[in-house]
Amino acid sequence: MNPRRQKFLRLGILGFCLIIGIWLINLTLTLQAAAKKPVDALFVLGGSITREIHVAELAKQYPQIPILISKGSQDPCILLIFQRAKASLENVWVEKCADSTFGNFYYSLPILQKWQAHKVLLITSPTHLPRAQWMGQIILGAKGIWVELDIVKEKGIPGNRENNFVTALDVTRSLLWAIIGQFYSPQCAQVRPLSQVNLVEWKAKGFKCERQGNLGY
């Protein structure tokens, strides 16, 4: 390689590193500011009906905060939980595109951004850690959203069990998406308000809820 090309290559690498450095500094300042703000969105990872029971109680305490439930129980089950808790349905949304923990964050991030969320309370269970925590901090954090955890203990046999391979794989995917997600934002066509769930139609089709919910279905 001739000296001129080497010079341009060094300048290119230096410029890239400078851009990344400025971005990281700005992101750190944004996250520090977000950490001091009150929680402005509740984000539930699907996998256990106990998480939905828990967030229904939170909804009564904080009716003004929007709630996003990502690939949780069947819609009528979630509706019955909120009705039993006498919690408002107006600020509750369900997302049904996700088919994995990575998908939970992948599809929910654009929704949280649309809500202009700065500080999210991530609701999950002990058996989902530390993977869910790290993924949330990486994927949401890359967009300046601070993540706090609310851990809900599961009853009976957990729906998911963590292992080092899955954790390493998902954390690696999250790190890649933290970069790719700066340029692309996926959209989920299966996002709807909980208030629009038609219980009569669901009863006609038939549905079953997790036994731990004690919902009678």
Side-chain angles (χ1 to χ4, degrees), residues 5-117:
R5 287 187 177 179
Q6 287 181 338
K7 181 179 179 181
F8 278 120
L9 180 60
R10 285 196 297 267
L11 287 174
I13 294 173
L14 180 62
F16 176 76
C17 292
L18 183 61
I19 291 171
I20 294 296
I22 293 172
W23 176 66
L24 289 174
I25 292 171
N26 182 65
L27 182 60
T28 299
L29 294 174
T30 299
L31 288 172
Q32 287 177 343
K36 297 175 183 177
K37 296 180 180 180
V39 169
D40 51 13
L42 306 181
F43 179 29
V44 184
L45 299 183
S48 170
I49 200 168
T50 55
R51 303 171 196 170
E52 292 143 15
I53 294 171
H54 178 72
V55 81
E57 293 299 321
L58 289 180
K60 293 193 295 185
Q61 300 176 45
Y62 310 103
Q64 76 284 1
I65 298 180
I67 298 170
L68 177 61
I69 301 174
S70 178
K71 200 56 183 272
S73 303
Q74 291 191 70
D75 292 355
C77 301
I78 299 174
L79 178 64
L80 289 169
I81 287 170
F82 274 76
Q83 288 179 340
R84 183 176 64 187
K86 294 181 172 57
S88 172
L89 308 177
E90 295 309 312
N91 272 335
V92 187
W93 294 73
V94 291
E95 173 273 303
K96 295 297 181 180
C97 291
D99 57 7
S100 64
T101 303
F102 179 81
N104 291 142
F105 293 104
Y106 177 88
Y107 287 110
S108 297
L109 174 58
I111 300 169
L112 296 170
Q113 286 185 284
K114 185 177 179 181
W115 291 354
Q116 297 184 336

